[in-house]
């Protein structure tokens, strides 16, 4: 399956790879800015598009996107990972970062993709942890979570270098600056922890 993949290179021209998978809004400016911030810190960043170029801002439209692309999304993300891993600028292993929908997808692909490490933002899923270290960022109050306590327990049981962090006073989308739920302090701290984890 072909993959629509935007690649951001660091100033050095090469570095470790990180696939950053968008939330249910699509590959929007916020995700691109996040990827750019990682590339400025030395990562070769891949930004896949699971929704064939569509970007939305309303929840109903986002739900419709998920329903339309649900079956094709895993294949598109996997193909994007393979393209990034094979890029001449990538040095060493490739990790993943996912936001909500993107994180859910990457969690489901852990057994298929040779991920080095995985960072998830406000996502839970029934998975077997152990092979891939996972750092999960969670909102204190998340109405979209199915079993956030269970996911946190699983991450804590899996142990270092992965783990779970709950950010007080936050809700879903706290790390996305274009959303009204955006929490600048929590988003900044989560990003710093993400970078340290990916570099570990």
């Amino acid at each position: 399956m072909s993959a629509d993949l935007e690649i951001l290179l660091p100033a050095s021209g090469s570095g470790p790879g990180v696939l950053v998978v968008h939330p249910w809004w699509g590959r929007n400016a916020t995700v691109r800015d996040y990827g750019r911030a990682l590339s400025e810190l030395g990562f070769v960043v891949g930004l896949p598009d699971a929704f064939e170029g569509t970007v939305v801002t309303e929840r109903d439209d986002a739900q419709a996107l998920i329903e339309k692309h649900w079956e094709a999304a895993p294949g598109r993300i996997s193909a994007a990972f393979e393209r990034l891993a094979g890029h001449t600028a990538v040095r060493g292993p490739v990790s993943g970062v996912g936001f909500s929908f993107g994180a859910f997808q990457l969690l489901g692909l852990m057994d298929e993709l040779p991920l080095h490490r995985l960072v998830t933002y406000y996502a839970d899923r029934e998975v077997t942890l152990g092979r891939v270290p996972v750092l999960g960022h969670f909102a204190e109050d998340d109405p979209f979570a199915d079993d956030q306590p269970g996911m946190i327990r699983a991450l804590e049981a899996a142990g270092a270098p992965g783990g779970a962090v709950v950010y007080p006073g936050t809700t879903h989308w706290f790390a996305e600056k274009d959303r009204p739920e955006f929490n600048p302090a929590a988003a900044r701290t989560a990003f710093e922890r993400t970078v340290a984890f990916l570099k570990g």
Side-chain angles (χ1 to χ4, degrees):
M1 180 176 292
S2 63
D4 180 353
L5 182 67
E6 182 177 330
I7 294 180
L8 306 177
L9 299 178
S12 64
S14 64
V18 181
L19 192 75
V20 179
V21 187
H22 60 76
W24 69 345
W25 313 114
R27 188 175 59 187
N28 58 18
T30 294
V31 172
R32 284 191 164 101
D33 287 346
Y34 187 98
R36 190 173 299 109
L38 285 177
S39 71
E40 290 173 353
L41 293 173
F43 296 97
V44 177
V45 177
L47 299 170
D49 183 356
F51 296 159
E52 298 184 313
T54 304
V55 174
V56 299
T57 58
E58 300 299 324
R59 296 185 189 182
D60 288 347
D61 294 333
Q63 182 62 41
L65 273 182
I66 286 182
E67 293 171 1
K68 178 180 179 180
H69 297 285
W70 188 259
E71 290 188 7
R76 291 171 182 163
I77 294 169
S78 294
F81 180 93
E82 292 173 3
R83 281 187 56 194
L84 177 63
H87 196 280
T88 56
V90 173
R91 300 288 182 266
V94 177
S95 296
V97 175
F99 290 85
S100 195
F101 161 83
F104 185 87
Q105 294 294 333
L106 285 172
L107 284 168
L109 291 168
M110 283 193 303
D111 289 338
E112 300 176 26
L113 302 179
L115 283 162
H116 174 57
R117 293 189 173 195
L118 174 59
V119 177
T120 63
Y121 280 81
Y122 23 84
D124 60 273
R125 182 169 186 163
E126 288 189 17
V127 292
T128 300
L129 299 172
R131 185 182 67 81
V132 179
V134 179
L135 172 63
H137 301 300
F138 298 95
E140 181 179 41
D141 179 17
D142 193 337
F144 291 90
D146 291 322
D147 185 17
Q148 179 167 295
M151 188 70 187
I152 291 172
R153 286 193 300 270
L155 289 170
E156 290 175 342
V165 184
V166 179
Y167 295 82
T170 62
T171 188
H172 206 84
W173 303 307
F174 74 82
E176 298 170 45
K177 66 181 181 180
D178 62 328
R179 304 303 306 174
E181 297 84 1
F182 178 56
N183 184 308
R188 182 172 57 254
T189 301
F191 181 78
E192 292 170 351
R193 286 173 169 149
T194 293
V195 171
F197 178 70
L198 293 176
K199 287 185 175 182

